[in-house]
Amino acid sequence: MHGATDVRIDQGVFGDADLVAGHGPWPRLRVDEAGWSAAIGLLADGHAELVSLWGDTPDIHMALRSSEQVVVLSLLARDGRYPSVGLHHPPAIRLERAVRDLFGLEPTGLPDTRPWLDHGRWHGDRPAASDYPFLPAQGAVLHQIPVGPIHAGIIEPGHFRFTCNGETVVRLEERLGYVHKGIEGLIAGSDLARASRLAARVSGDSTVAYGYAFARAIESALGVEVPARAVWLRALMAEMERIANHLGDVGGVCNDAAFSLALVHCAMLRERLLRTAGTCFGHRLMMDKIVPGGTADLSQSGIAAIRETVDAIGSALPRLLHLYDETPSLQDRTTGTGRVSVDLARQFAAGGYVGRASGRDFDARRDLCYAPYDALPLAVASQQNGDVDARVRIRLDEIRYSLTMVNAILADLPDGPVLTPIPPADGEGLAIVEGFRGDVFVWLRIQDGVIRRCHLRDPSWFQWPLLEAAIDGNIVADFPLCNKSFNCSYSGHDL
């Protein structure tokens, strides 16, 4: 059993629940407040994990997972109010604050009612960004260090408020939402082609993962079967995206520990892979190459080019690992720094390398198995230490595993078409795809050929709060190292 406790979350668990027709591949249930409270109890007791929570006035929706099961629960928010999930399950707090800002739905009992995405520009009764009430800290020797939202370097904006005792951080609080783009609002009312392009731009480093998840959600909603060649090409692009991002992150962590030599090696390998992707698919990031119903095709020369590139990366990887292992000054900075406990990673259902470095052995490719990963040599790396070093080693292992899968995909790539037409039909669907950062969740409703409502959840929603815990007790100078070892998405989170 991987991830959440193996408890059945069938319809009967939620009392007088009604099954909503036309929702795939997992069920959606309409529940009353008793059923909603039963779901909260499962989360609080650790018998289920929170996948996401989103507004859809007058309804509030919540997705849960237990083992290989996923269920969406829908509750009518009477008078715009519903029982707070965050009151009993902290990972829901920021999601509920976002829903409150976006839809005006009030979670009764929410322990933190400060705005999250609204920076004082949407509602007259909300504090301005400069007046945001950070949590208080008391102590004669404590001082605060404000960092951001504008940072040195070409990165997205986010504010970090450090409370310190000397150099030791005793509290970190984040303020995000600066790059809220209204993606879900833009998607609503869009045809499938435009909506797919918008979804692929939620977070540029995960454009394949978002395009993949969005397309699978549409296909689940409408019962579309994708050609076998397209199924395998999607996995190929996803693994190439994973390798490229992990190489960038490993180099970035090393650079933040003042070891720029590793950054240079990683950057060269990443650039070679991106150039190969650009040659083979017409875009370095493979943006818009996964579409509802299929994908772009790959030529025989493209297959040869990818093989040559992954062979080169595979040959360089042992030397890179040796360089990392045999540099004591680097090990001194990464080992034991920025720990996230196993219990916290499980409570927040942290995805990707953040969760797997802290013992949460979950990977959607395996645990919510989708083709073609059931036919590939998929291995899942796991660590228990939960520190910067563990998160680096998970990435290095995943690079190696993904290289193996890329070669397997190229060896067994089926012939045939790569696109099937999308029928004009109505439906609801969801998909969970394992991106490089963790599991990407998409839920949508299609009516009359357009997306009426769509919700996208980046893995960063459940990783950003853990960064606050990871830096606790570390020195201020180690924050860049911790932050890069998480590499949460601002854009993916802020939507």
Side-chain angles (χ1 to χ4, degrees):
M1 189 3 238
H2 305 284
T5 303
D6 193 11
V7 170
R8 297 293 300 179
I9 52 173
D10 296 326
Q11 185 171 345
V13 174
F14 306 107
D16 189 17
D18 295 325
L19 183 66
V20 176
H23 188 280
W26 293 292
R28 179 163 81 89
L29 305 176
R30 182 163 289 284
V31 299
D32 55 17
E33 288 198 6
W36 188 262
S37 296
I40 294 173
L42 290 175
L43 292 170
D45 294 339
H47 295 318
E49 293 177 341
L50 180 64
V51 177
S52 196
L53 185 148
W54 65 101
D56 184 22
T57 309
D59 291 336
I60 182 75
H61 302 298
M62 171 168 55
L64 307 178
R65 185 188 77 87
S66 180
S67 188
E68 76 286 354
Q69 298 174 279
V70 177
V71 63
V72 175
L73 305 181
S74 302
L75 173 69
L76 175 63
R78 298 185 185 278
D79 300 320
R81 306 181 74 84
Y82 66 95
S84 170
V85 181
L87 177 62
H88 304 281
H89 189 60
I93 291 176
R94 289 186 178 181
L95 287 165
E96 290 188 328
R97 291 170 66 186
V99 167
R100 186 170 175 264
D101 285 351
L102 293 171
F103 296 92
L105 299 177
E106 289 287 343
T108 304
L110 177 65
D112 187 347
T113 58
R114 294 174 296 168
W116 186 242
L117 296 177
D118 181 2
H119 284 216
R121 296 180 179 273
W122 301 353
H123 305 281
D125 60 342
R126 304 292 175 86
S130 58
D131 298 325
Y132 183 76
F134 286 94
L135 297 175
Q138 296 180 344
V141 297
L142 299 182
H143 65 281
Q144 289 191 336
I145 305 173
V147 177
I150 305 303
H151 302 277
I154 307 173
I155 63 172
E156 292 174 299
H159 181 86
F160 302 94
R161 184 65 58 95
F162 297 87
T163 301
C164 305
N165 181 0
E167 278 294 302
T168 302
V169 179
V170 299
R171 169 179 285 167
L172 167 63
E173 188 175 358
E174 301 155 353
R175 178 70 169 125
L176 304 175
Y178 295 91
V179 284
H180 174 70
K181 306 169 290 300
I183 287 283
E184 293 181 2
L186 292 170
I187 288 177
S190 297
D191 61 35
L192 302 189
R194 180 174 186 270
S196 180
R197 288 177 60 84
L198 287 167
R201 284 155 178 78
V202 167
S203 186
D205 57 10
S206 301
T207 183
V208 170
Y210 272 97
Y212 198 169
F214 193 81
R216 289 188 65 233
I218 289 175
E219 292 147 11
S220 294
L222 302 181
V224 174
E225 185 174 349
V226 178
R229 184 174 177 87
V231 170
W232 285 69
L233 284 172
R234 287 176 173 184
L236 173 66
M237 293 184 211
E239 297 312 311
M240 290 174 67
E241 180 176 79
R242 193 181 324 278
I243 294 166
N245 282 310
H246 283 340
L247 284 169
D249 283 358
V250 170
V253 170
C254 293
N255 190 56
D256 280 342
F259 191 61
S260 57
L261 178 61
L263 172 66
V264 173
H265 284 288
C266 288
M268 290 172 61
L269 296 173
R270 179 176 181 272
E271 176 62 21
R272 178 166 181 175
L273 184 58
L274 294 179
R275 290 185 180 187
T276 299
T279 299
C280 295
F281 294 107
H283 195 288
R284 286 165 57 89
L285 302 181
M286 298 167 284
M287 186 174 285
D288 302 324
K289 301 309 173 184
I290 295 179
V291 297
T295 186
D297 207 350
L298 180 65
S299 66
Q300 285 300 123
S301 61
I303 291 174
I306 294 173
R307 277 204 178 105
E308 183 179 349
T309 297
V310 298
D311 286 347
I313 295 172
S315 297
L317 201 58
R319 298 194 300 273
L320 185 62
L321 179 60
H322 179 79
L323 189 66
Y324 178 80
D325 280 336
E326 299 302 319
T327 306
S329 61
L330 182 56
Q331 292 291 305
D332 182 64
R333 292 292 308 280
T334 61
T335 303
T337 301
R339 289 187 185 276
V340 175
S341 71
V342 170
D343 289 342
L344 205 54
R346 288 176 178 167
Q347 181 187 29
F348 275 76
Y353 44 79
V354 173
R356 289 192 283 272
S358 294
R360 182 178 178 257
D361 184 19
F362 172 76
D363 189 308
R365 295 171 297 176
R366 176 194 65 194
D367 301 321
L368 301 175
C369 189
Y370 51 94
Y373 289 102
D374 52 349
L376 289 173
L378 172 64
V380 178
S382 183
Q383 295 265 343
Q384 295 289 324
N385 292 338
D387 55 4
V388 172
D389 176 69
R391 292 187 283 275
V392 169
R393 292 186 185 279
I394 291 290
R395 287 172 166 93
L396 288 167
D397 284 342
E398 290 193 0
I399 292 170
R400 181 160 49 89
Y401 299 158
S402 291
L403 290 171
T404 298
M405 282 193 288
V406 166
N407 280 319
I409 291 168
L410 295 176
D412 295 328
L413 187 64
D415 294 325
V418 295
L419 190 64
T420 191
I422 299 294
D426 297 346
E428 295 180 355
L430 65 84
I432 301 176
V433 163
E434 188 71 22
F436 92 97
R437 193 176 273 117
D439 48 303
V440 171
F441 173 82
V442 174
W443 176 89
L444 49 79
R445 178 187 300 118
I446 305 171
Q447 292 176 333
D448 302 323
V450 301
I451 304 293
R452 295 300 179 190
R453 178 73 178 99
C454 176
H455 170 66
L456 310 103
R457 194 272 297 146
D458 193 86
S460 298
W461 275 100
F462 299 130
Q463 295 170 346
W464 276 117
L466 299 186
L467 177 60
E468 294 180 346
I471 192 61
D472 187 28
N474 289 259
I475 61 173
V476 176
D478 278 339
F479 175 70
L481 195 62
C482 295
N483 190 22
K484 188 59 185 178
S485 76
F486 274 68
N487 190 19
C488 299
S489 174
Y490 297 84
S491 182
H493 169 279
D494 293 351
L495 291 179

